[in-house]
Amino acid sequence: MTITSPLWGAELDHIRLDSADPAKLSAFYRDAFAMARQPLADGSILLRGAGRRLIIGTGAASSQPYSAFRFADQARLATYKAHLTARGVNPMPSPTPLFADGAFAVADPDGRQMVFGLINDTYDVEDETVGRHPPGRLQHVVVATANLAPMMAFYEDTLGFVATDHVLRDDEDDHAGGQTLTAVFYRSTPEHHSFAMFLSDDARPDHHAYEVSCWNDVRDWADHMATLEIKLWWGPGRHGPGNNLFFMVEDSDGHKVEISAELENMADDDPVRQWPHNERSLNLWGPGWMRV
Ligand SMILES: [Fe+2]
């Protein structure tokens, strides 16, 4: 089987975080995640390091208004836009200055935007400073939602994300064996997930992650956090879905941010796998972060 989704090949390029104190939040990412700060014309702030970049703006505190995925070339982007239009989606103007003309956005059922486009060379200049930053490629973004069914329909059926893993909780008092989905992991490349969603009592950001090359990189980032007296919030551990090594810290607005390594790659014909909703699925090594 070959994956035929027109989204296939799209990679997470950047996200936007809004804050009541963007100066403080951007200073956190500059220091904790070794990124250079650059003011943008619209008043927001670009943070960029080796393989990673994000935009921090002024807005509703602790919100993450969009995630931006890049295509490799204009032909794939055009094919994808035609696919969405044929499904009745009305593309909106792109909110990001980091993509070239032709980028567009769509809103999911929770109101968060997904942006698709091509890199704008103006912001893709790798200066010497950024080249020397430690590794850490922005790799996935995760949201929490109270509306898992419509969100799944949108991300799978409309946008074309490919489901990799489901997490299921046994329904209490249901002797017929009913189960409730509590998390879904989606891929848009062979990597286990580039996007995921967790069932929660509210729509909110969950976390985003930087992928590094090996366990020693995870150690080095943890040592770096230690020099800044930033305590690890969760981990180190190893996730069940994705099998990746990880730890998380909280940024100055409380967003969870992950360093990850060894994220597994999937074959095109791998079926959706199922995991039980328990601590061990979330962390094979120890305590889990249970969203519900
Ligand atoms: Fe993650």
Side-chain angles (χ1 to χ4, degrees):
M1 184 188 81
T2 301
I3 290 177
T4 56
S5 168
L7 179 65
W8 197 246
E11 296 180 282
L12 180 61
D13 188 85
H14 61 283
I15 63 172
R16 175 171 170 137
L17 300 174
D18 276 348
S19 176
D21 192 345
K24 181 179 179 183
L25 188 61
S26 61
F28 177 90
Y29 280 92
R30 176 197 63 198
D31 298 339
F33 289 95
M35 294 175 170
R37 274 201 300 193
Q38 178 180 334
L40 298 177
D42 66 359
S44 61
I45 303 165
L46 170 63
L47 279 296
R48 59 197 186 102
R52 57 189 178 276
R53 56 185 189 166
L54 71 149
I55 291 177
I56 291 177
T58 304
S62 302
S63 64
Q64 192 253 307
Y66 63 75
S67 300
F69 281 72
R70 66 172 176 269
F71 279 91
D73 56 54
Q74 181 63 47
R76 288 183 176 85
L77 179 64
T79 298
Y80 188 62
K81 189 173 185 181
H83 162 82
L84 294 181
T85 303
R87 288 174 172 267
V89 175
N90 285 321
M92 298 180 290
S94 164
T96 177
L98 301 188
F99 278 166
D101 289 347
F104 60 92
V106 296
D108 75 16
D110 282 347
R112 181 175 288 102
Q113 289 186 324
M114 296 290 275
V115 190
F116 301 96
L118 305 175
I119 287 174
N120 181 345
D121 288 343
T122 305
Y123 293 107
D124 192 35
V125 179
E126 290 283 331
D127 65 31
E128 283 187 16
T129 310
V130 169
R132 287 197 301 270
H133 288 183
R137 170 175 56 95
L138 178 63
Q139 194 279 326
H140 67 258
V141 63
V142 178
V143 302
T145 181
N147 302 301
L148 201 58
M151 286 282 280
M152 288 174 64
F154 180 77
Y155 279 90
E156 288 186 40
D157 303 338
T158 302
L159 295 190
F161 278 91
V162 178
T164 305
D165 281 347
H166 286 172
V167 179
L168 292 141
R169 179 180 62 197
D170 291 335
D171 292 336
E172 290 181 17
D173 304 324
D174 183 348
H175 301 296
Q179 292 184 308
T180 298
L181 268 171
T182 58
V184 187
F185 293 81
Y186 289 112
R187 65 191 190 272
S188 55
T189 73
E191 290 187 314
H192 178 275
H193 61 283
S194 55
F195 176 77
M197 58 179 82
F198 281 82
L199 179 64
S200 179
D201 56 0
D202 197 10
R204 54 174 173 72
D206 191 90
H207 72 277
H208 70 279
Y210 302 99
E211 184 75 9
V212 296
S213 60
C214 63
W215 172 248
N216 280 356
D217 287 346
V218 178
R219 176 202 63 188
D220 291 348
W221 275 109
D223 282 338
H224 172 70
M225 298 298 171
T227 65
L228 299 173
E229 299 188 29
I230 297 169
K231 291 180 179 176
L232 304 194
W233 181 80
W234 185 24
R238 185 188 287 280
H239 295 306
N243 199 42
N244 43 331
L245 302 162
F246 75 93
F247 71 75
M248 287 189 189
V249 297
E250 284 187 316
D251 72 19
S252 56
D253 275 0
H255 294 286
K256 312 305 188 272
V257 192
E258 180 175 31
I259 293 288
S260 164
E262 299 187 3
L263 182 67
E264 68 182 310
N265 280 318
M266 310 303 293
D268 283 4
D269 57 356
D270 279 335
V272 180
R273 303 177 303 193
Q274 296 190 346
W275 295 82
H277 177 85
N278 59 29
E279 282 195 305
R280 189 172 187 280
S281 292
L282 294 165
N283 182 7
L284 297 170
W285 291 1
W289 171 23
M290 309 301 288
R291 278 79 166 181
V292 289

